[in-house]
């Protein structure tokens, strides 16, 4: 009797587990966005590939804005129309414009017979900031990179001249 | 010959001056244009058109924003502090949604979301219908704030988040504090 109950319990658990797994797979596949490269640099081109499983999609839009976390500034949002490649795949590309942007934020919107629907809302991606781009020095805006180098260069020149004079 | 000996010392002095100056260059994005701000019109959330000149006699903070801008949400919290601190007769805050693709309903929904979280954005909101953005944008980023004095003169402008009085820890030390600017104008 106890063995039968155990078998039933295990069967229920397995079915429940399978249900949860399939639910997760479905949920993951509902709408996804792939940004290439995964961590783009400011002022670089990105490829956007969207998998949209919603039925009756008339238009798909990718809304993107570039922001600078150091100053708390966001630049004008761009609405990009996605081109349909097949039943559920859409694609577009975009050239990031702002040299000081530290992250991008995007939404994925579709227009169906029932109106507009937001499939992905306000997702953030940090940008890859190279040393050359990061001229903030952790101290807000410093728009004069390299200015000090002139002074250092002149200083070295002076020292060299002084030593030369003394040798003579 | 003696004159030649002086040259290296002149270079050293120049070097010291350059090093000192490099730390003194103002690198903020602030602009203090002491001129009369062009009047502008905007569409209030009640559907009626309003002008900047309607608020002569008051200090006006023009806040340009959009619902999709996350730093603008933080700016709203700081403006709420300004609104709570000063008498409404002294200061008028005008928050203008500069994205002409957005609607009054979207702005109202945004305000309601704050309200649901216990934050009352109790000041003037409006939509940009006459290209305020084109006249007043600095480099194209939001939030952008302008402060006009009682006569409608631009006394201050800034692109990026400004705080009310206290700079949160971890923020750049040169973050703008609105209280200081407003108190200067009131006095």
């Amino acid at each position: 009797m106890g063995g039968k109950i155990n078998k039933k319990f295990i069967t229920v658990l397995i079915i429940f587990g399978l249900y949860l797994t399939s639910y997760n797979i479905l949920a993951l596949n509902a709408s996804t966005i792939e940004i290439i490269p995964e961590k783009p640099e400011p002022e670089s081109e990105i490829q956007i590939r969207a998998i949209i499983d919603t039925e009756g999609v008339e238009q798909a839009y990718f809304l993107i804005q570039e922001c600078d976390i150091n100053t708390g500034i966001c630049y004008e949002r761009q609405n990009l129309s996605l081109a349909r490649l097949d039943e559920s795949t859409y694609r577009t590309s975009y050239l990031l414009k702002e040299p000081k942007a530290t992250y991008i934020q995007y939404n994925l919107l579709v227009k169906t017979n029932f109106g507009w629907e937001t499939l992905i809302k306000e997702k953030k991606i940090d940008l890859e900031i190279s040393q050359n781009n990061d001229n903030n020095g952790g101290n807000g805006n410093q728009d004069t990179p390299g200015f000090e180098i002139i002074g250092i260069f002149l200083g070295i020149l002076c020292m060299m001249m002084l030593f030369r004079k003394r040798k003579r | 010959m003696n004159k030649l000996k002086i040259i290296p010392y002149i270079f050293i002095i120049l070097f010291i001056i350059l090093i000192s100056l490099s730390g003194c260059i103002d690198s903020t994005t602030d602009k203090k244009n002491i001129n009369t701000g062009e009047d502008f019109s905007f569409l209030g959330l009640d559907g009626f058109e309003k002008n900047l000149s309607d608020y002569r006699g008051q200090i006006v903070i023009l806040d340009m924003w959009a619902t999709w801008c996350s730093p603008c949400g933080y700016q709203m919290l700081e403006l709420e502090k300004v609104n709570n601190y000063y008498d409404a007769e002294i200061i008028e805050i005008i928050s203008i949604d500069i994205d002409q693709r957005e609607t009054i309903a979207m702005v109202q929904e945004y305000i309601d979301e704050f309200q649901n979280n216990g934050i009352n954005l109790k000041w003037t909101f409006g939509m940009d219908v006459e290209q305020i953005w084109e006249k007043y944008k600095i480099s194209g980023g939001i939030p952008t704030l302008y402060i006009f004095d009682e006569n409608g003169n631009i006394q201050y402008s800034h692109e990026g988040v400004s705080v009310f009085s206290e700079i949160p820890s971890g923020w750049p030390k040169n973050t703008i504090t609105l209280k200081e600017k407003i108190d200067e104008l009131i006095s």
Side-chain angles (χ1 to χ4, degrees), chain A residues 63 65-68 70-79 98 100 103 105 107 121-122 124 138-144 147-148 150-159 161-162 165-166, chain B residues 1 4-5 7-12 14-15 18-19 21-23 25 27-29 67-72 98-99 101-102 106 113 133 137 139-143 158-161 172-174:
Chain A
L63 315 184
Q65 73 237 29
E66 297 170 60
C67 303
D68 176 357
N70 298 313
T71 51
I73 293 174
C74 283
Y75 297 91
E76 198 175 352
R77 188 168 71 174
Q78 305 296 323
N79 292 2
E98 298 302 331
K100 287 183 180 175
Y103 69 93
Q105 195 167 331
N107 288 14
K121 197 176 180 186
E122 289 171 10
K124 280 182 184 174
N139 189 26
N141 301 314
Q142 291 291 342
D143 294 324
T144 56
F147 186 71
E148 295 88 342
I150 301 165
I152 291 165
F153 179 72
L154 282 173
I156 292 166
L157 205 71
C158 291
M159 296 300 277
M161 283 173 77
L162 270 174
K165 293 269 174 201
R166 280 184 185 174
Chain B
M1 190 66 186
L4 280 173
K5 276 186 177 178
I7 291 171
Y9 294 106
I10 293 171
F11 273 111
I12 290 170
L14 272 173
F15 168 68
L18 278 169
I19 291 288
L21 281 176
S22 67
I25 290 171
S27 59
T28 65
T29 54
T67 61
W68 43 261
C69 159
S70 40
C72 301
I98 54 100
D99 190 339
R101 295 165 293 194
E102 300 198 324
M106 288 165 85
E113 256 181 54
W133 183 234
K137 73 176 170 190
S139 80
I142 49 173
H158 178 70
E159 191 180 63
V161 173
K173 281 178 187 167
N174 59 356

Side-chain angles (χ1 to χ4, degrees), chain A residues 127-138:
Chain A
L127 300 181
E128 184 74 51
I129 309 296
S130 66
Q131 288 298 318
N132 294 336
N133 284 328
D134 187 15
N135 55 24
N136 293 318

Side-chain angles (χ1 to χ4, degrees), chain A residues 56-69:
Chain A
V57 174
E58 290 172 7
Q59 284 172 302
Y61 279 94
F62 182 78
L63 315 184
I64 180 169
Q65 73 237 29
E66 297 170 60
C67 303
D68 176 357
I69 200 162

